[in-house]
Amino acid sequence: RMNVQDFVYIKQCPSCQSELIRREGEAAWRCINTALCSAQNLEKIIYFVSKDAMNINGLGKDIIKRFIELGLILDIPSIYHLDYDEILKLEGWKEKSVENLKLGIEESKGNEMHRLLIAMGIDGVGNTMAKSLAKKLSYLLDFKHYSIEQWQSIDDIGPKLAQSLYDFFHSEENSAMLLKLESLGVNLRGAKINTSGILYGKQIVFTGFRNPELEKKIEFLGGEVGSSLSKKTSILVMKEKGSGSSKEKKALDYGVEVMTVEEFESSLPV
């Protein structure tokens, strides 16, 4: 073919002009300027307030962009000391909408600790992992004392995720941000585990489906919802038993009890 040129990757971030790096085993190129890159700061704030994270109603992507442009939001902690009088002066904002925004922000302060963990945007930490980690300690910042080996000893945490968690909690910048959030009223404490519940000390794993209401009941009864089957799993819950699936065979090899959804639900108190 004629006039074919090699593709040349850009070497600088389009937003802040900092160096781009590509981690071993990854295809993506990343900006190393995590503290000062405006594009990264915007995406962090958008993710922080999102439904799966802190779930702050009234702070959509366009509103966040506008507030950043106006200097009303600078970073994540600044969400919690917004100037509502200034917002009320903006076009399109009435007392009711400002009040709703304030209410959404105030309510998010009381979120369970696992939601704040999700909101930090750590690679590999989704809902199930965050809930599992939140049960390890009663105070989020105590994770800064964890070694790489301690992280890797936790179920479902491999070397890559262990390194991400270690790096996050050993960052002075991240520790300062979490302390600032705490000073602004955001909860960094874990919920007390029901040690007298019938599922205390048991790990339940679902396969082939998710049931958020049942997951809440398991946690209420002191149990833990696992993200994957292992020898530490207590019960594997399936839609149907006897299908001969590899997951069911593996559970039986591990000596893990296998139950259908109906069997599991009927075993729990009403």
Side-chain angles (χ1 to χ4, degrees), residues 3-211:
N3 301 321
V4 175
Q5 295 180 335
D6 291 335
F7 182 82
V8 179
Y9 285 97
I10 60 172
K11 295 182 179 180
Q12 292 178 307
C13 172
S15 176
C16 68
Q17 307 307 310
S18 295
E19 179 189 358
L20 296 177
I21 62 168
R22 184 167 65 178
R23 297 171 184 165
E24 186 177 348
E26 292 187 359
W29 288 81
R30 301 175 185 271
C31 171
I32 62 172
N33 186 17
T34 56
L36 300 174
C37 178
S38 60
Q40 288 193 64
N41 187 48
L42 170 64
E43 292 304 321
K44 284 177 183 177
I45 294 169
I46 290 170
Y47 184 69
F48 182 88
V49 306
S50 66
K51 186 176 180 180
D52 290 334
M54 294 298 276
N55 192 24
I56 300 179
N57 291 322
L59 267 185
K61 186 174 183 177
D62 291 338
I63 291 173
I64 290 170
K65 282 183 176 180
R66 188 181 182 194
F67 283 3
I68 288 175
E69 289 169 0
L70 295 171
L72 291 167
I73 290 180
L74 303 175
D75 52 22
I76 286 170
S78 66
I79 292 168
Y80 292 96
H81 50 81
L82 278 172
D83 189 333
Y84 295 107
D85 291 334
E86 285 300 312
I87 294 172
L88 191 55
K89 295 175 185 176
L90 299 176
E91 184 180 349
W93 285 87
K94 305 294 182 184
E95 284 191 18
K96 182 65 175 177
S97 52
V98 171
E99 211 43 54
N100 287 338
L101 173 61
K102 187 176 182 179
L103 179 63
I105 289 172
E106 287 300 310
E107 285 182 343
S108 75
K109 291 180 179 180
N111 279 343
E112 292 181 43
M113 186 170 75
H114 79 272
R115 278 196 168 273
L116 182 58
L117 251 175
I118 295 169
M120 292 298 98
I122 306 168
D123 285 346
V125 179
N127 185 62
T128 301
M129 178 57 69
K131 283 185 175 181
S132 178
L133 291 176
K135 292 177 181 177
K136 302 295 180 187
L137 296 174
S138 59
Y139 181 53
L140 187 58
L141 277 172
D142 284 344
F143 277 128
K144 68 182 180 181
H145 303 302
Y146 267 43
S147 65
I148 288 285
E149 291 73 26
Q150 283 176 296
W151 283 117
Q152 288 185 326
S153 70
I154 299 173
D155 279 353
D156 301 323
I157 293 185
K160 187 177 176 181
L161 179 52
Q163 190 66 56
S164 291
L165 287 161
Y166 179 87
D167 290 345
F168 180 87
F169 284 103
H170 278 76
S171 159
E172 290 185 12
E173 176 196 336
N174 292 332
S175 293
M177 176 183 61
L178 287 168
L179 285 170
K180 179 68 174 175
L181 287 171
E182 185 176 37
S183 73
L184 292 165
V186 177
N187 174 49
L188 267 65
R189 302 276 173 182
K192 290 184 178 179
I193 299 172
N194 180 8
T195 56
S196 60
I198 65 167
L199 294 179
Y200 175 66
K202 293 185 177 182
Q203 186 189 82
I204 317 300
V205 171
F206 294 92
T207 182
F209 71 103
R210 278 200 64 194
N211 188 323

